[in-house]
Amino acid sequence: ARLVRHDGRAAASPTAGQKLEGIAGTPSSSIFRPFTILLNASLAPLGVRRVSKLVRTGFLDGQILYRVIPGFLVQFGVAADPTVHARWQRGEKRRLKDEPNRMPFRHGTLSFAGAGTDSRTSHLFVALAPNGVRLGRGTPHEATLGHVVSGMETWERVVANYQKSGYKDTGTLQGPLVQRGNAAAAAYPLLDRIRACHMEVAPRRRL
């Protein structure tokens, strides 16, 4: 899969991008499906810079998609290794200043999750229609970073797998995952996860 960064500048050269591989799959099935998210730093430069750094440092690799709400969102952003996660949460410098939402959410929008003003760190979600498109309206930490431009069916498969699993409210896993990493989800083997991601250069294009 490809998460491609686009900074919106007038320069003729393409901007740095990032590629996220194997988002839809579980260790038991070994099935991983690709997707592409085009990031736009002209919308949220601080947020896009943080996502790019998370990808480059391998923070997202192996992460569990622990919160799945059909028709609303798929959330992730807790490192597989709790010591790695802790490094991205400590200190005020890790908390990003809020940025205004400059583009309405739609099916496949990527945004930071948070808990109020200036609370963005590493927690992210992909919005899903119909209810997720109402996000980003007055909540300070919710701002469009980019959109899924290829492989939206990958995220829809994540939702379908979750519904088939019969799990209930796995959003409560966030705290245990922060403390213990992926080991905290041992009782939920059917949860999909991110396999790996990397940066990739991509040509300019309009979101």
Side-chain angles (χ1 to χ4, degrees), residues 91-175:
E92 290 300 316
K93 290 183 178 180
R94 293 300 190 188
R95 295 164 64 93
L96 295 178
K97 293 289 186 181
D98 291 326
E99 298 171 286
N101 185 30
R102 297 183 173 94
M103 184 175 288
F105 279 34
R106 64 183 191 231
H107 191 56
T109 292
L110 180 71
S111 171
F112 274 98
T117 302
D118 299 336
S119 62
R120 300 182 300 170
T121 55
S122 67
H123 301 273
L124 297 156
F125 68 86
V126 169
L128 305 174
N131 299 316
V133 302
R134 302 189 183 99
L135 295 168
R137 303 178 185 179
T139 305
H141 54 266
E142 292 174 356
T144 296
L145 304 170
H147 306 283
V148 177
V149 295
S150 177
M152 191 62 213
E153 63 274 11
T154 295
W155 295 96
E156 292 163 354
R157 176 58 60 181
V158 169
V159 174
N161 289 346
Y162 185 82
Q163 291 176 308
K164 186 177 179 180
S165 75
Y167 297 152
K168 303 295 183 183
D169 191 21
T170 53
T172 58
L173 278 173
Q174 180 173 311

Side-chain angles (χ1 to χ4, degrees), residues 5-6 9 26 41 50 58 62 81 84 105 109 163 198-199 204:
R5 179 183 169 195
H6 169 52
R9 296 177 182 175
T26 62
R50 171 60 59 84
D81 182 340
V84 172
F105 279 34
T109 292
Q163 291 176 308
H198 65 269
M199 301 290 292
R204 291 168 54 84

Side-chain angles (χ1 to χ4, degrees), residues 82-95:
T83 60
V84 172
H85 187 81
R87 289 199 294 268
W88 284 96
Q89 309 302 312
R90 295 179 184 137
E92 290 300 316
K93 290 183 178 180
R94 293 300 190 188
R95 295 164 64 93

Side-chain angles (χ1 to χ4, degrees), residues 12-115:
S13 60
T15 57
Q18 52 195 359
K19 187 176 183 181
L20 196 65
E21 295 185 346
I23 187 69
T26 62
S28 59
S29 69
S30 299
I31 298 174
F32 298 93
R33 297 175 175 85
F35 68 88
T36 301
I37 296 179
L38 189 67
L39 302 178
N40 190 335
S42 68
L43 298 177
L46 295 178
V48 168
R49 190 177 305 121
R50 171 60 59 84
V51 172
S52 297
K53 191 168 185 179
L54 290 171
V55 171
R56 289 197 306 270
T57 58
F59 178 84
L60 299 179
D61 295 352
Q63 284 194 14
I64 292 172
L65 304 176
Y66 66 86
R67 186 184 182 206
V68 181
I69 304 179
F72 188 49
L73 58 77
V74 175
Q75 186 169 329
F76 52 104
V78 180
D81 182 340
T83 60
V84 172
H85 187 81
R87 289 199 294 268
W88 284 96
Q89 309 302 312
R90 295 179 184 137
E92 290 300 316
K93 290 183 178 180
R94 293 300 190 188
R95 295 164 64 93
L96 295 178
K97 293 289 186 181
D98 291 326
E99 298 171 286
N101 185 30
R102 297 183 173 94
M103 184 175 288
F105 279 34
R106 64 183 191 231
H107 191 56
T109 292
L110 180 71
S111 171
F112 274 98

